[in-house]
Amino acid sequence: MKQFPVERKALWHRLFSREKIRQGTVRLMKQLRQDNHRLYVYTTSYRSPAYVKRLFLSYGIRIDKVINKNTHDKILGKRAGSISKYPPAFNIDVHIDDSPGVAMEGEEHGFRTIIIAEEDGEWTETILHQLAINKRL
């Protein structure tokens, strides 16, 4: 199980969900929105897109699109079983993840990734720095 500091939850957050989001997520996503990035959540879970959107909205973050396992399987068809995530199928330019396996898939299938290590205490800065580099490419 991944261990990292999490965002503080108000009482009404706790009533809505037991899920926690990584500390810095709110600030980062608001910065990305301000920089005119679209915000997608691509998850291998079966949580409904409506649930995921409400979870983030409870922190003041509007998510543009949620791709869950059902959507992934439907769009990728037979190929879905051989790749955990394939951002190009959903017009995602850069995929941010914490799984080195997704980085390997990105290299193999030609999509850009930014992989954040669990122990990276400056992970939000890492993402913003890598996005700035990607923008120049």
Side-chain angles (χ1 to χ4, degrees):
M1 183 172 179
K2 297 187 188 287
Q3 298 290 319
F4 43 75
V6 296
E7 294 282 358
R8 292 186 62 180
K9 292 177 78 170
L11 176 61
W12 62 282
H13 287 113
R14 286 184 230 135
L15 294 172
F16 172 72
S17 173
R18 293 182 190 165
E19 290 189 67
K20 300 172 184 172
I21 61 175
R22 191 173 187 164
Q23 188 174 39
T25 300
V26 172
R27 184 176 51 84
L28 173 65
M29 291 185 132
K30 287 183 177 183
Q31 179 66 51
L32 293 173
R33 176 69 70 202
Q34 186 177 348
D35 294 344
N36 295 314
H37 290 278
R38 291 176 308 215
L39 302 178
Y40 289 14
V41 173
Y42 195 154
T43 177
T44 55
S45 81
Y46 289 98
R47 292 173 294 179
S48 76
Y51 168 80
V52 174
K53 283 184 175 185
R54 282 192 312 269
L55 172 64
F56 281 91
L57 194 56
S58 74
Y59 286 96
I61 302 165
R62 184 179 54 83
I63 299 297
D64 294 302
K65 185 172 187 158
V66 175
I67 298 103
N68 66 3
K69 181 73 169 124
N70 289 329
T71 305
H72 170 87
D73 290 351
K74 180 179 178 183
I75 298 299
L76 294 179
K78 292 178 184 177
R79 189 172 183 200
S82 64
I83 186 168
S84 68
K85 294 180 180 173
Y86 187 64
F90 304 97
N91 296 313
I92 297 171
D93 298 325
V94 179
H95 180 76
I96 300 166
D97 209 290
D98 61 359
S99 170
V102 172
M104 292 187 300
E105 289 179 340
E107 289 176 22
E108 183 179 339
H109 298 284
F111 60 86
R112 291 186 290 177
T113 62
I114 298 172
I115 304 301
I116 301 304
E118 181 179 338
E119 63 277 358
D120 185 351
E122 305 295 320
W123 69 279
T124 59
E125 289 77 14
T126 299
I127 290 170
L128 293 171
H129 177 75
Q130 288 298 315
L131 286 173
I133 290 171
N134 283 331
K135 190 174 187 178
R136 286 180 263 167
L137 295 177

